[in-house]
Amino acid sequence: MEKKIYILAGGPPENVPDLAPYAEDKRAAWAGVDRGVLHLLKQGIIPEMAFGDFDSVNQEEWDWINRKLEHIRKFQPEKDETDMELALMWAISQDPDVIRIFGATGGRLDHAFTNVLLLVHEKALQFKGKIEMIDRQNLVEMFLPGTYTIEKMDAYPYVSFLPLTEEVEGIFLTGFKYPLENRHIVRGTTLCVSNELIRDFGTFSFSSGILMMVRSHD
């Protein structure tokens, strides 16, 4: 049976997708990060783990969290890692097949960029399962060199590939509206932005670098 861990961070609730379909997945364990714990409880989801300094909740909310949860890892605000990093490293250590992160984008740009860049943390890149960062409009994944097949998703029709390293070499795109054959792209260029799948499945591959895939809708 596939093992999944879903993490809700404390980003703006209006940027979080409807969690009800994910909550129905009985194979998934939930973790909350700081104010994300509160949002989970308000939706009737009891996380197995909670992480944070909880400086974003008031005393009444903190008391409620304490009553509802058994496993809380509370940290001092002054620390080297962000609450989200601590939660992600815990999730990776549980060796699931899939990690999905919600509530990690929107609001402050420094928080959003930091959370996205956690997907290229050494431990995240070495992780053998899948890590997805999802909000109401986007789904983000990171890839190391190789060949990958992706399925067309009506919810996210647009597919963009962005180089996270200085250069990504040997890109092939098959089954896309704008195919590519053995192209090199450098960081800061827009060649692979806003493509679309024209078949039920498409294939992409590349030979070096780190590639971020963003699947989006308008």
Side-chain angles (χ1 to χ4, degrees):
M1 181 182 294
E2 193 175 49
K3 180 181 178 181
K4 303 175 183 178
I5 294 179
Y6 296 163
I7 302 172
L8 180 62
E14 61 271 16
N15 208 43
V16 177
D18 180 11
L19 297 181
Y22 299 99
E24 294 174 359
D25 189 347
K26 302 307 180 185
R27 298 166 296 180
W30 286 85
V33 179
D34 208 79
R35 196 165 182 82
V37 179
L38 198 64
H39 297 322
L40 286 175
L41 293 177
K42 288 179 178 179
Q43 296 190 52
I45 301 172
I46 307 298
E48 293 189 13
M49 292 292 299
F51 299 84
D53 51 39
F54 296 99
D55 58 355
S56 63
V57 301
N58 60 37
Q59 187 60 49
E60 182 180 358
E61 293 167 337
W62 171 243
D63 290 341
W64 187 37
I65 290 170
N66 259 314
R67 288 196 304 270
K68 299 291 286 185
L69 303 188
E70 291 186 25
H71 303 292
I72 302 172
R73 295 187 182 179
K74 187 176 182 181
F75 304 92
Q76 293 297 322
E78 299 80 14
K79 57 187 183 302
D80 293 337
E81 305 88 355
T82 65
D83 296 334
M84 184 63 238
E85 181 179 353
L86 292 166
L88 178 58
M89 294 304 106
W90 168 82
I92 289 172
S93 75
Q94 303 306 299
D95 196 28
D97 300 289
V98 178
I99 298 172
R100 292 193 170 108
I101 302 169
F102 310 93
T105 58
R108 284 177 52 174
L109 281 178
D110 57 340
H111 287 174
F113 285 139
T114 297
N115 288 336
V116 170
L117 290 176
L118 279 176
L119 301 185
V120 292
H121 188 290
E122 182 180 4
K123 290 185 178 179
L125 290 176
Q126 292 174 351
F127 177 60
K128 300 303 182 184
K130 175 185 290 190
I131 304 178
E132 298 176 338
M133 188 168 287
I134 303 171
D135 62 28
R136 283 191 178 272
Q137 200 165 356
N138 309 282
L139 187 155
V140 179
E141 292 182 74
M142 299 293 179
F143 293 90
L144 292 174
T147 299
Y148 304 90
T149 298
I150 60 171
E151 186 175 4
K152 188 175 184 179
M153 300 174 66
D154 292 337
Y156 301 104
Y158 303 112
V159 186
S160 297
F161 296 98
L162 308 174
L164 266 291
T165 45
E166 184 175 349
E167 186 173 22
V168 173
E169 298 181 323
I171 299 178
F172 290 80
L173 300 180
T174 304
F176 288 81
K177 183 176 181 179
Y178 307 109
L180 287 179
E181 184 172 345
N182 198 28
R183 294 293 297 270
H184 297 1
I185 57 175
V186 297
R187 191 165 49 207
T189 58
T190 59
L191 174 65
C192 295
V193 172
S194 199
N195 211 330
E196 298 176 57
L197 285 165
I198 56 174
R199 304 174 186 168
D200 290 338
F201 293 89
T203 301
F204 69 95
S205 63
F206 60 106
S207 57
S208 71
I210 300 173
L211 204 56
M212 177 168 68
M213 180 178 72
V214 183
R215 306 190 70 165
S216 307
H217 68 82
D218 284 330

